[in-house]
Amino acid sequence: MNLAELLIEPLSYGTTWRALVEMTILGIAGGVLGCWVVLYRLSYGAESLAHGMLPGLVLAGLVGLPLLLGGAVGIVVAGVLVAVATRVRMSDPDTAVAVVVTTLFGAGILLALSPSSPTGVGELLFGNLLGTTDAQILISAVATLVVVAIIWLLHPRLLAVGFDGDAAGFARIPAAVVNVILLVLVSVTILVSVQALGTLLVAALLVGPAATARLLTRRMLPMILTSAFVASISGLAGIYASFHLKTAAGASVVVFILASFLVAAAISAVRIRFPAFGPG
Amino acid sequence: MNPPGKTIPPSGPGLGGPVAMARDLAIGYDGAPVLTGVEFELEAGMTVGVLGPNGGGKTTLFRALLGTLEPAAGALVIGVSCSTVPQSDRSRLDYPVTCLDVARMGTLAGLPWWRRPGRREREISLEALGMVGMRELADSSFGELSGGQRQRVLIARALSAEADLLLLDEPYSGLDSPSAERLDRLILDLAAEGKSVMIATHDVDQTMDWDRVLCLNREQIAWGPPAEVLDRKVLERTYGGQIVEIPGHPGEGVLPPHHHHDHGHGHGH
């Protein structure tokens, strides 16, 4: 079998086609937004939301409601609990968030393993990329358009507020409002990505490509473009790999994201050692 | 309960007229005022050193001038737009921005939230970088500059916000001596262009180069030309009686070492 056949054969399956389209779209949303998640140091928050939403997804499955609705409720509840936990003076914020998130996650697993639970728990944890429907693709495309449009519109202000708190005065937007806007966009992106990648893997899409791009670039626009490219290409490569190697699709995507990060880290290390190879 | 104070909104820069004026001003957070009895009149092109211990009210006054804190009592009139320049050693060095990007952040002040800076804002930013002598480094990464260069880019950010009153928060901290001298010249240049500059500092000697000095220690201790105002008594009240005397310089008060930020600044007397 030659390379062309390796690339073309999977396309004869509708499931693979839809998975490829879905991952390309989600890669753009996750890659672009992820840059701001990384710069605003929200990686841990994004991961917490993704893990903490599990009970919402499981309950939706139990009651027979759309997963999107259950996930939305789950993410709002997780967000509120995390916000409250960080304000309780009993422990440091990281510990408080870890306690809340593991409790929610445990509750979700407990519910999912109950005999009446119809959905396989694996699907909620690791996603069902090959089960992507046309409706899901449409929702992802609309959400991605909205997320990218808002990010584009707010770009100068996001840049200024992230740079320092005093700049919020110039940007005429309070830093708290900017953070809330970002968290809402993160929630939306997690929500539309969770059926493809599951609560455990979705954070990788938001953090991995952006962290990779950060190592390779020194300006914001190249960073955003690189991040979206890495996310989408890792998505495509993961789906092809899973087709030929019969591995889990979502996990394969994450393996490629991790691999790209390791390659970028190696390149970055070489550049620090030998500045002649540095960018610009 | 104090009667509510008021900040009178800008009514356009009056040429030669007062830029900002405080009358029996008290400022505080929620409860009791942390700074009282502030009275000064700031003119265009004036340089003002703001002296006082940490917690003496320098930052509080700057916040009131910026409009982020409402006066608790008295009146504060600000006739021009006002902008702050934070300490450069507190800025993020890992942030993927150029000097031009940072200078351009200032232009956002003049744009509604949905407008992105365009060609005009780019020109304003480059001009501001030119004023601080950083135009040639416009495309350099902000994080790779020296402390003094970063300071100047942050001043350019305030200039591109078209601010006529600049508030510099301990700008000399962390600067080496050539950078400090360069900043001295820049402050005087800005004043010559008609900008008013207020500089929070710990260095008493430094304020001698400026037009006015404002001494704060939870209340206003003194306001006026440094040579007339600064004496041992004022400094003792400003810093709470911790003044020591240099042997051989009777009457000249200096700060105890723990108050003194040693930045190697050459005090061109």
Side-chain angles (χ1 to χ4, degrees):
Chain A
M1 198 187 272
N2 63 29
L3 184 65
E5 283 167 356
L6 281 175
L7 288 177
I8 289 165
E9 194 204 345
L11 300 182
S12 53
Y13 297 84
T15 49
T16 317
W17 247 117
R18 283 191 290 275
L20 289 169
V21 173
E22 175 80 344
M23 267 320 298
T24 308
I25 294 170
L26 294 179
I28 293 169
V32 170
L33 185 58
C35 291
W36 294 106
V37 169
V38 167
L39 280 183
Y40 274 67
R41 303 186 175 122
L42 291 172
S43 304
Y44 185 49
E47 196 192 353
S48 303
L49 287 179
H51 291 185
M53 75 192 287
L54 184 64
L57 291 172
V58 177
L59 279 176
L62 279 171
V63 183
L65 287 169
L67 283 184
L68 211 54
L69 184 67
V73 174
I75 222 165
V76 169
V77 171
V80 169
L81 289 178
V82 163
V84 170
T86 55
R87 276 159 186 78
V88 176
R89 293 265 169 87
M90 273 161 62
S91 59
D92 70 287
D94 281 0
T95 310
V97 172
V99 169
V100 166
V101 169
T102 35
T103 305
L104 283 173
F105 196 73
I109 297 286
L110 206 62
L111 286 168
L113 295 179
S114 72
S116 53
S117 182
T119 336
V121 70
E123 201 169 290
L124 297 177
L125 292 178
F126 306 113
N128 181 14
L129 189 49
L130 294 174
T132 303
T133 63
D134 288 341
Q136 263 174 267
I137 291 177
L138 185 67
I139 291 169
S140 301
V142 170
T144 298
L145 269 179
V146 169
V147 167
V148 172
I150 292 177
I151 289 287
W152 179 83
L153 187 68
L154 292 180
H155 179 95
R157 280 152 187 92
L158 284 169
L159 198 65
V161 174
F163 180 65
D164 72 40
D166 290 306
F170 299 119
R172 291 160 145 216
I173 297 184
V177 172
V178 173
N179 276 294
V180 167
I181 292 173
L182 267 185
L183 281 176
V184 169
L185 295 180
V186 166
S187 302
V188 167
T189 306
I190 289 174
L191 203 55
V192 295
S193 311
V194 80
Q195 277 167 284
L197 292 172
T199 59
L200 286 182
L201 300 179
V202 70
L205 183 71
L206 272 169
V207 177
T212 305
R214 182 144 207 217
L215 290 171
L216 298 176
T217 58
R218 297 200 299 180
R219 300 284 181 265
M220 202 57 210
L221 196 60
M223 178 175 163
I224 289 174
L225 295 176
T226 306
S227 176
F229 180 78
V230 166
S232 293
I233 288 294
S234 300
L236 302 186
I239 291 163
Y240 272 105
S242 84
F243 181 89
H244 292 295
L245 304 173
K246 313 271 178 279
T247 51
S252 306
V253 169
V254 173
V255 166
F256 275 93
I257 291 176
L258 178 69
S260 60
F261 178 78
L262 292 176
V263 170
I267 292 172
S268 165
V270 170
R271 276 178 180 168
I272 289 168
R273 240 349 182 1
F274 308 102
F277 296 103
Chain B
M1 189 74 195
N2 285 312
K6 52 186 173 169
T7 305
I8 293 151
S11 57
L15 255 171
V19 158
M21 195 168 67
R23 282 280 170 271
D24 198 23
L25 174 69
I27 320 159
Y29 309 84
D30 301 331
V34 296
L35 181 63
T36 55
V38 182
E39 293 233 10
F40 61 79
E41 201 162 301
L42 199 63
E43 283 161 31
M46 204 177 245
T47 50
V48 181
V50 185
L51 288 172
N54 293 327
K58 290 179 294 201
T59 309
T60 306
L61 176 64
F62 280 10
R63 288 204 182 130
L65 286 165
L66 281 168
T68 51
L69 260 183
E70 287 288 313
L76 178 61
V77 188
I78 304 159
V80 294
S81 64
C82 174
S83 201
T84 181
V85 178
Q87 288 177 24
S88 68
D89 48 5
R90 276 190 302 176
S91 47
R92 282 182 73 173
L93 303 183
D94 61 336
Y95 209 68
V97 283
T98 62
C99 296
L100 180 59
D101 289 331
V102 175
R104 189 154 39 194
M105 290 173 189
T107 64
L108 295 173
L111 294 173
W113 66 266
W114 66 89
R115 282 270 319 275
R116 292 162 55 93
R119 193 169 296 160
R120 186 177 163 271
E121 283 72 27
R122 183 188 155 86
E123 281 311 310
I124 293 172
S125 315
L126 284 172
E127 207 172 293
L129 285 172
M131 265 180 94
V132 300
M134 289 295 292
R135 192 174 174 136
E136 264 138 54
L137 292 173
D139 292 321
S140 308
S141 292
F142 180 78
E144 289 166 10
L145 304 176
S146 73
Q149 289 172 324
R150 288 202 300 274
Q151 185 82 59
R152 283 187 275 145
V153 173
L154 292 173
I155 292 173
R157 185 178 66 173
L159 293 175
S160 60
E162 290 177 343
D164 288 313
L165 170 55
L166 301 183
L167 309 176
L168 273 57
D169 186 11
E170 297 191 15
Y172 290 94
S173 71
L175 293 197
D176 59 18
S177 143
S179 305
E181 278 162 29
R182 195 157 183 164
L183 182 57
D184 280 340
R185 285 200 302 278
L186 177 57
I187 288 171
L188 297 178
D189 286 350
L190 291 171
E193 298 258 344
K195 307 280 181 191
S196 309
V197 192
M198 290 182 98
I199 309 110
T201 179
H202 282 280
D203 192 326
V204 177
D205 285 347
Q206 207 171 37
T207 60
M208 292 296 178
D209 297 340
W210 299 325
D211 301 322
R212 295 283 186 279
V213 66
L214 180 64
C215 297
L216 303 174
N217 187 4
R218 305 189 65 84
E219 58 176 334
Q220 181 168 317
I221 308 292
W223 159 258
E228 293 171 25
V229 166
L230 288 181
D231 56 27
R232 196 190 158 104
K233 197 165 153 256
V234 162
L235 287 175
E236 275 179 357
R237 283 180 64 210
T238 304
Y239 287 99
Q242 295 167 306
I243 308 298
V244 294
E245 212 166 281
I246 308 175
H249 293 75
E252 188 177 339
V254 297
L255 299 178
H258 69 272
H259 260 130
H260 199 283
H261 274 222
D262 182 22
H263 47 65
H265 170 57
H267 315 296
H269 286 161

